[in-house]
Amino acid sequence: MARFMDVHNGFVGVTAEQLREAHRRDLEAEAAEGVHFEHAWLDPQAGKVFCLSSGPSKEAVLRVHEKAGHPTEEIYELPVEVD
Amino acid sequence: MARFMDVHNGFVGVTAEQLREAHRRDLEAEAAEGVHFEHAWLDPQAGKVFCLSSGPSKEAVLRVHEKAGHPTEEIYELPVEVD
């Protein structure tokens, strides 16, 4: 399993409720791909969403987002992290 | 206190040890600005680093990264998050 951060653009003015609904759709779609979306953060002014996930591949992460209706090609694999 | 995600480019080929050292410099500089860098993730192939922090303002986050030697103008305020 690897970790991924994906980035969505164009979410200007999106509300907390809309982000929750989008994330709920990811959670419904993720099991079939062996992906888990752990967290999502929204900057509604810039229209950016960051999603942290774990799964087998970038392609699997993309397929979940496609099924959920919000695909993005900007997906980064994160083999290194610190806290 | 607000939360922020900042994004750095050009970190191609950076190692885990180099990321730890960069993060250590942030942790040394952050207290003076009331910022805390919670987590950083690296994609060494794309050269992307994502840093999650909390603090009073984007400007404070930027000043810490400047003092630590790795400034970035790409800082997003995150009033909404889900998990």
Side-chain angles (χ1 to χ4, degrees):
Chain A
M1 291 288 265
R3 292 195 106 182
F4 302 92
M5 185 79 77
D6 62 73
V7 185
H8 303 255
N9 296 292
F11 280 52
V12 176
V14 161
T15 66
E17 181 51 43
Q18 289 170 316
L19 184 70
R20 270 195 296 273
E21 172 59 19
H23 188 60
R24 191 189 59 71
R25 291 200 302 272
D26 287 327
L27 296 180
E28 280 180 3
E30 69 182 19
E33 296 287 350
V35 169
H36 178 51
F37 280 93
E38 299 174 17
H39 211 95
W41 297 267
L42 165 66
D43 178 341
Q45 200 167 348
K48 286 267 183 183
V49 176
F50 299 91
C51 300
L52 184 69
S53 65
S54 54
S57 69
K58 281 186 197 181
E59 291 72 21
V61 172
L62 175 56
R63 282 193 295 268
V64 175
H65 272 337
E66 282 177 337
K67 286 178 197 170
H70 42 251
T72 177
E73 292 295 330
E74 201 177 341
I75 304 175
Y76 300 97
E77 188 168 342
L78 307 168
V80 182
E81 58 189 280
V82 293
D83 59 11
Chain B
M1 292 288 265
R3 295 196 103 181
F4 301 92
M5 186 77 78
D6 63 71
V7 184
H8 302 255
N9 296 292
F11 279 51
V12 176
V14 160
T15 65
E17 182 51 44
Q18 288 170 317
L19 184 70
R20 269 195 296 274
E21 171 59 19
H23 188 60
R24 190 189 60 70
R25 290 201 302 274
D26 286 327
L27 296 179
E28 280 181 4
E30 69 182 20
E33 296 288 351
V35 170
H36 178 51
F37 280 94
E38 300 174 18
H39 211 95
W41 297 268
L42 165 66
D43 177 341
Q45 199 167 347
K48 286 267 182 182
V49 176
F50 298 91
C51 299
L52 184 69
S53 66
S54 53
S57 68
K58 280 186 197 182
E59 291 72 21
V61 172
L62 174 56
R63 283 193 295 269
V64 176
H65 273 337
E66 282 176 338
K67 286 179 197 170
H70 43 251
T72 177
E73 292 295 330
E74 200 178 342
I75 304 175
Y76 301 97
E77 188 169 342
L78 308 168
V80 182
E81 57 188 282
V82 292
D83 59 11

